[in-house]
Amino acid sequence: DWRNGLEGKLGLRASFRKAWDLASHPAWLFDVGVRGGPLTFGNLERAVPGASNPTAFKAWVDAQFDPSVTWEDLAWVRDNWKGKIVLKGVLDAADALEAVRRGVDGLVVSNHGGRQLDSAPPVAEALPAIAEAVAGLAGGDFALLADGGVRSGADILKYLALGAKAVLVGRPWAWALAARGEEGVSAMLTTLKGEFEVALALAGANSPKEIGVENLVGGRGGAGGGSRAAGDQRG
């Protein structure tokens, strides 16, 4: 972001890159910059009244990241909020159980796309231990979600096999929205659903409830779904 002139003071090189990028896309500049203005964050307009461009929101957004947050803050939220609480960013089974003890109703196993710490554990590695730790909660129906790297229906199947109840997608819908608006997002969801159904059928399952780690290459179990998956991959 800093190199491309989106962060910090603009140097000569960053200013030139930004100006050239805008000048070389006149259709986009007119459609988004002129017809699409003012360019603001609609869900933050009440928090920062009077802001007329994304830069004006920066100070407020930066202030929302508080490194002093502890488990006690989560307990405070639980005491003051009677609705459901889902905590995102858990990568450790012990943290998952501590979050449950503090009153959360669900967890999102996520490393935030690796953008905060690029050597954080991959979600696929962290998910099985966390799923095992919370397996008996809420009658086995604890809201355990997985987030990160979902680009196809097969990716959804993999996370379900590792113990997630559902998945989140971030970039796919943003790309689809930027390209084709609501129609693009609808097409993206239809594509994911179709790919998932095909992957489910090829795994020999009739429903997501039948998916388990044995459906993955190297998963536990004998010559069931695991061997079929291995054959498909190597074929």
Side-chain angles (χ1 to χ4, degrees):
D1 287 346
W2 180 83
R3 185 171 60 247
N4 287 285
L6 299 176
E7 193 70 32
K9 293 183 178 180
L10 289 179
L12 182 61
R13 181 183 179 187
S15 297
F16 176 78
R17 286 168 61 96
K18 189 173 182 179
W20 174 252
D21 190 29
L22 293 173
S24 59
H25 297 88
W28 179 92
L29 185 61
F30 176 73
D31 187 43
V32 178
V34 179
R35 294 174 54 199
L39 304 178
T40 66
F41 292 102
N43 57 329
L44 300 181
E45 288 180 349
R46 291 187 179 182
V48 192
S52 59
N53 58 72
T55 304
F57 292 95
K58 185 179 184 306
W60 185 89
V61 172
D62 288 346
Q64 305 311 301
F65 294 88
D66 184 358
S68 68
V69 170
T70 69
W71 288 113
E72 297 304 322
D73 292 282
L74 177 59
W76 179 88
V77 173
R78 177 73 285 172
D79 290 341
N80 289 275
W81 173 253
K82 304 309 176 186
K84 300 289 186 180
I85 296 178
V86 178
L87 184 66
K88 181 183 178 186
V90 177
L91 290 170
D92 179 79
D95 283 346
L97 292 177
E98 180 65 18
V100 172
R101 190 176 74 81
R102 299 284 180 164
V104 303
D105 302 287
L107 297 169
V108 180
V109 182
S110 172
N111 63 12
H112 303 295
R115 293 178 295 111
Q116 315 305 324
L117 178 64
D118 58 8
S119 58
V123 172
E125 288 186 6
L127 182 56
I130 296 175
E132 184 175 355
V134 303
L137 300 177
D141 199 30
F142 182 76
L144 182 63
L145 312 177
D147 167 71
V150 175
R151 301 291 185 267
S152 71
D155 292 334
I156 299 174
L157 184 143
K158 294 170 189 176
Y159 276 158
L160 296 186
L162 293 172
K165 299 295 182 183
V167 304
L168 283 70
V169 293
R171 296 174 190 175
W173 74 260
W175 292 334
L177 181 67
R180 293 173 57 194
E182 180 181 351
E183 181 184 355
V185 176
S186 178
M188 181 273 297
L189 292 173
T190 299
T191 298
L192 283 182
K193 182 175 182 291
E195 291 174 345
F196 175 71
E197 290 173 346
V198 170
L200 195 67
L202 293 176
N206 293 309
S207 78
K209 293 182 179 180
E210 297 179 11
I211 292 297
V213 70
E214 65 275 5
N215 293 99
L216 302 178
V217 175
R220 295 190 300 271
S227 62
R228 285 197 302 276
D232 291 342
Q233 292 275 344
R234 294 165 189 163

